[in-house]
Amino acid sequence: MISLSEQEIIRRNSLKRLRELGIDPYPAAEYPVNVLAEEIKNNYKADLNNYQEVCLAGRLMGQRIMGKASFAELQDSSGRIQLYVNRDELCPGEDKTFYNEVFKKLLDIGDTIGVKGFVFITQMGEISVHVRELVLLSKSLRPLPVVKEKDGVTYDAYTDMEQRYRMRYVDLIVNPHVKDTFVKRTRIINTMREMFNENGYLEVETPILQPIPGGAAARPFITHHNTLDMPLYLRIANELYLKRLIVGGFDGVYEFAKDFRNEGMDRTHNPEFTVMEIYVAYKDYKWMMEFTEQMVERVALALHGKTTVQLGDKVIDYKAPYPRVTMYEAIKTHTGYDIAGKSETELREICDKLGIETDPSMGKGKLIDEIFGEKCEAHYVQPTFIIDYPVEMSPLTKKHRDNPGLTERFELMVNGKELANAYSELNDPIDQRERFEEQLRLSEKGDDEAMFIDQDFLRALEYGMPPTSGMGIGIDRLTMFMTNNLSIQDVLFFPQMKPEPKRQETESSTEEFEAAGIPAGWAEVIKSIGYTTLGKLKEVDKHTKLHQDLCGYNKKNKLGLTNPLPDEVKSWIEAAGEDRS
RNA sequence: GACUCAGUAGCUCAGCUGGUAGAGCACAUCCCUUUUAAGGAUGGGGUCCUGGGUUCGAAUCCCAGCUGAGUCACCA
């Protein structure tokens, strides 16, 4: 048995009592809800006398019991509304049990109830539901954290991050702003989907289990397919599959995809995360920049009705268009070095001068990436496109039309972080093969993140892929930016956590104690005072102390058991030590 | 992976230089009987994260571990 807190025991007793009264605490029938709390509060007008036949359901979140009349708080999916409950209306006859016992005593905060009645305004001026009929729809057996709030000040807020993430359902019940974040997250996705569909692009699904984890540079999760007896990887990206579909003749395809990367976890990284990738044929990265800024602006408008969004202590303005800054310009602006045409050795020297650590496995691309990451990234708080990345760090990107050392790539930077990443896609199969081989060389040099070679993808390119631009955007990060959350865990319902430590170690059952000759009643007592297993019991040195503890517990808790003799206790300890297996 | 901080009642937290474990809310009983986080009174509730150590005595001091948060590193 798991030991229950006092409040849990009281609730279980209430449950039992409800059943005795003939009330099903978990009824099956549909409950005919016809309105939400928020709707009433927004639209009720006393002079219109509307909402006179309402039926709503939700969680009981507070009771102010005053005697023959009470007030309560009902919380449904839209918010809270006050209930007015009157004894003689709930119980019109002589029998006042339903009000006096069921409503006042057997209902608890957290129970799901349904009410029918009419809307009115109390003397205190609050829109409330005058309850004519009340039913229990689901009994709650655990006490909720009670959060109170007045004039925007929250009291006793439920703030323990570990518990909030582990028990998101509780978090969602008591912290309304959490729910709001997730509603906004879905609205972001819907807004994007709407825009893509308006453009005639096709939403598709591609494999999550991949034989070769391609399309990005990251350590994958690996699993095993039993029937095929082969390893499979959870995708780190879906890029190569979406491009195959462009080869297949679709003009535009997109996917909201869960990707998986077996790397560190922190405030901005979760092992599984959501990315939207879109590929459009006959477009280039310049077109994609316009498309992206319009999309982001549209998302901001859909969420906030304006383009400015608070983020920490900053205000980000998502109004399009965004500045285009080449990577070389960015580095020149923020370090003073012009790195155009510099060799690997020269770049390494520049890194040294800038105080950036390097190691021999780093190629040109990685070195430039380091300089940008260390010295430039953080400066781009307002949305900015960083464009024209060096070819070494962009193995899937078409070479720049004017400068073969660069690629046609952009990243959208917001608040000093990468939000989106896009290219004119590399569709020259021979160039692509060479780039993969270069990655392979990097990997042999020690870069464990260089890309794998996907032969089938190369074959697809050899059939010919139209010129295409593709873009990927981190949905979690976008949601963080758009909802003013600084941690990815706040925009994921169920962020990855370490397993919860086992709270209850294995206990010997009462039967096992009985087998050792200990009466069941005393076995419970012995377990209650900490000797939860026979193994622990046999370690007891002084049987006289145990004897006293047992008798003391019996007395204190008024169990009414007949106290054992000290020698009996001694024999129990000895019996516990015998091996009966 | 390194460092810093934290873990005490269902929730939020106090607990000093080591000496009987505290408050508010929640819960229970009673009183009141149209209230707005909190009407009044009384009461119950604890593996002080775990395991060692020091000590006559540890929530408190020391060591190790677990979990979480933060900073950095690694990494998109």
Side-chain angles (χ1 to χ4, degrees):
Chain A
M1 266 307 283
I2 307 152
S3 56
L4 298 171
S5 73
E6 182 194 25
Q7 292 192 42
E8 288 172 299
I9 291 164
I10 289 166
R11 284 177 183 232
R12 277 170 157 80
N13 290 340
S14 299
L15 183 79
K16 213 163 108 192
R17 178 66 185 141
L18 285 164
R19 288 207 161 103
E20 284 167 13
L21 291 169
I23 295 169
D24 181 357
Y26 302 104
E30 172 192 7
Y31 195 74
V33 174
N34 65 13
V35 68
L36 294 176
E38 200 59 30
E39 196 184 326
I40 293 173
K41 288 207 274 193
N42 288 339
N43 300 326
Y44 174 74
K45 292 282 183 302
D47 45 354
L48 293 179
N49 207 32
N50 50 358
Y51 295 112
Q52 294 307 291
E53 293 280 344
V54 296
C55 176
L56 53 175
R59 229 176 251 278
L60 183 65
M61 293 303 283
Q63 275 173 301
R64 290 183 289 279
I65 291 171
M66 307 308 295
K68 69 178 185 190
S70 300
F71 289 86
E73 296 283 332
L74 182 78
Q75 174 172 309
D76 67 15
S77 62
S78 70
R80 288 191 186 189
I81 192 162
Q82 177 169 268
L83 305 179
Y84 170 77
V85 178
N86 180 299
R87 182 188 68 195
D88 296 323
E89 280 188 85
L90 220 54
C91 307
E94 283 300 300
D95 182 4
K96 306 297 184 192
T97 307
F98 189 79
Y99 180 79
N100 284 333
E101 187 169 2
V102 177
F103 177 75
K104 282 168 69 169
K105 298 191 173 157
L106 301 180
L107 289 190
D108 293 293
I109 289 178
D111 289 353
T112 303
I113 58 169
V115 296
K116 291 178 183 167
F118 62 90
V119 179
F120 75 113
I121 296 185
T122 64
Q123 290 176 4
M124 301 300 288
E126 181 160 344
I127 294 172
S128 306
V129 176
H130 187 123
V131 175
R132 289 222 159 98
E133 187 189 312
L134 185 151
V135 294
L136 175 62
L137 297 176
S138 178
K139 181 77 192 150
S140 165
L141 295 181
R142 285 177 185 262
L144 283 172
V146 176
V147 179
K148 298 195 171 173
E149 181 257 320
K150 190 192 184 184
D151 302 330
V153 185
T154 305
Y155 301 81
D156 296 330
Y158 180 62
T159 52
D160 186 301
M161 299 219 202
E162 181 176 359
Q163 292 202 49
R164 285 184 47 225
Y165 298 149
R166 286 197 196 281
M167 299 193 288
R168 183 67 89 181
Y169 35 91
V170 175
D171 191 28
L172 287 163
I173 293 166
V174 302
N175 289 328
H177 66 276
V178 173
K179 194 182 226 171
D180 184 57
T181 294
F182 289 100
V183 170
K184 286 203 169 95
R185 181 182 170 117
T186 298
R187 192 172 302 150
I188 289 169
I189 292 171
N190 288 345
T191 303
M192 290 168 64
R193 183 174 275 138
E194 230 171 67
M195 178 172 169
F196 302 155
N197 290 344
E198 281 168 17
N199 278 273
Y201 306 143
L202 188 72
E203 181 163 15
V204 298
E205 292 181 275
T206 62
I208 292 172
L209 290 173
Q210 301 180 347
I212 295 166
R219 280 202 300 274
F221 285 94
I222 184 162
T223 183
H224 184 262
H225 191 286
N226 288 345
T227 305
L228 297 175
D229 190 24
M230 65 180 284
L232 284 171
Y233 302 86
L234 272 65
R235 69 177 168 205
I236 56 174
N238 54 356
E239 170 155 0
L240 303 187
Y241 284 91
L242 291 173
K243 284 183 184 172
R244 284 170 168 96
L245 295 178
I246 297 292
V247 171
F250 293 106
D251 284 341
V253 290
Y254 69 94
E255 180 174 16
F256 288 91
K258 266 282 177 77
D259 288 350
F260 306 84
R261 296 188 184 176
N262 204 343
E263 284 166 358
M265 295 158 56
D266 61 26
R267 222 174 57 229
T268 55
H269 297 88
N270 195 67
E272 59 180 285
F273 58 102
T274 305
V275 170
M276 193 296 302
E277 290 203 30
I278 183 167
Y279 291 80
V280 185
Y282 314 117
K283 307 294 186 192
D284 63 4
Y285 79 136
K286 292 183 180 173
W287 177 89
M288 189 58 86
M289 272 187 260
E290 287 173 29
F291 185 79
T292 302
E293 64 198 2
Q294 272 159 30
M295 180 188 82
V296 173
E297 182 188 86
R298 180 165 168 170
V299 165
L301 286 169
L303 253 57
H304 304 284
K306 54 182 184 180
T307 57
T308 51
V309 179
Q310 190 76 34
L311 181 60
D313 54 4
K314 302 174 190 118
V315 174
I316 312 288
D317 190 348
Y318 292 99
K319 176 137 193 64
Y322 309 149
R324 276 80 163 150
V325 180
T326 69
M327 173 156 267
Y328 285 4
E329 280 166 19
I331 290 176
K332 200 170 174 184
T333 306
H334 297 289
T335 69
Y337 288 100
D338 185 353
I339 59 162
K342 291 281 190 287
S343 70
E344 188 175 320
T345 323
E346 289 169 311
L347 286 169
R348 216 173 281 281
E349 281 166 16
I350 292 171
C351 281
D352 288 346
K353 285 182 193 151
L354 291 169
I356 298 167
E357 284 184 33
T358 60
D359 72 71
S361 79
M362 289 173 161
K364 264 177 84 173
K366 198 99 179 170
L367 290 168
I368 294 169
D369 194 27
E370 279 302 306
I371 298 173
F372 182 78
E374 283 292 313
K375 300 292 173 189
C376 308
E377 212 169 48
H379 293 96
Y380 298 100
V381 172
Q382 296 300 323
T384 306
F385 290 116
I386 303 297
I387 65 172
D388 299 348
Y389 283 61
V391 65
E392 294 84 356
M393 53 196 283
S394 312
L396 299 166
T397 314
K398 190 176 279 202
K399 282 187 180 143
H400 198 277
R401 61 195 79 179
D402 303 321
N403 184 342
L406 300 178
T407 56
E408 298 208 348
R409 171 179 182 182
F410 72 79
E411 287 193 356
L412 174 57
M413 309 295 301
V414 175
N415 198 34
K417 305 261 164 51
E418 174 202 341
L419 179 59
N421 182 17
Y423 325 132
S424 297
E425 300 298 335
L426 176 55
N427 62 345
D428 175 341
I430 295 173
D431 190 2
Q432 182 67 79
R433 186 177 295 276
E434 283 168 7
R435 303 271 199 102
F436 275 145
E437 278 162 4
E438 174 59 26
Q439 289 290 306
L440 202 62
R441 278 193 290 280
L442 282 174
S443 129
E444 280 157 5
K445 211 169 154 187
D447 184 347
D448 60 354
E449 296 209 332
M451 293 185 187
F452 298 75
I453 299 186
D454 185 333
Q455 295 295 346
D456 176 69
F457 170 67
L458 287 171
R459 178 167 62 192
L461 286 192
E462 283 165 9
Y463 279 96
M465 181 172 84
T468 298
S469 183
M471 184 264 290
I473 182 165
I475 296 298
D476 309 299
R477 203 165 275 186
L478 178 62
T479 306
M480 286 163 65
F481 289 164
M482 288 290 176
T483 60
N484 195 13
N485 279 300
L486 298 175
S487 164
I488 195 169
Q489 295 169 310
D490 290 320
V491 301
L492 298 171
F493 273 128
F494 304 106
Q496 193 63 47
M497 304 285 282
K498 287 196 187 175
E500 222 170 334
K502 279 211 180 82
R503 299 187 64 185
Q504 199 73 24
E505 61 188 24
T506 51
E507 270 189 10
S508 300
S509 69
T510 304
E511 288 71 28
E512 287 174 77
F513 277 89
E514 283 187 277
I518 301 166
W522 284 108
E524 294 296 338
V525 176
I526 289 167
K527 288 204 278 185
S528 298
I529 62 175
Y531 304 101
T532 49
T533 64
L534 289 170
K536 284 188 181 178
L537 183 59
K538 79 176 180 194
E539 299 299 323
V540 174
D541 286 337
K542 294 183 178 135
H543 70 275
T544 48
K545 165 114 171 42
L546 178 62
H547 176 252
Q548 284 179 4
D549 286 345
L550 291 174
C551 297
Y553 191 93
N554 184 28
K555 188 177 176 187
K556 186 181 170 199
N557 293 286
K558 301 189 177 78
L559 298 178
L561 296 167
T562 309
N563 285 334
L565 299 170
D567 281 349
E568 282 181 78
V569 175
K570 192 176 177 185
S571 71
W572 294 346
I573 295 167
E574 284 161 3
E578 287 165 20
D579 188 358
R580 275 174 310 283
S581 58

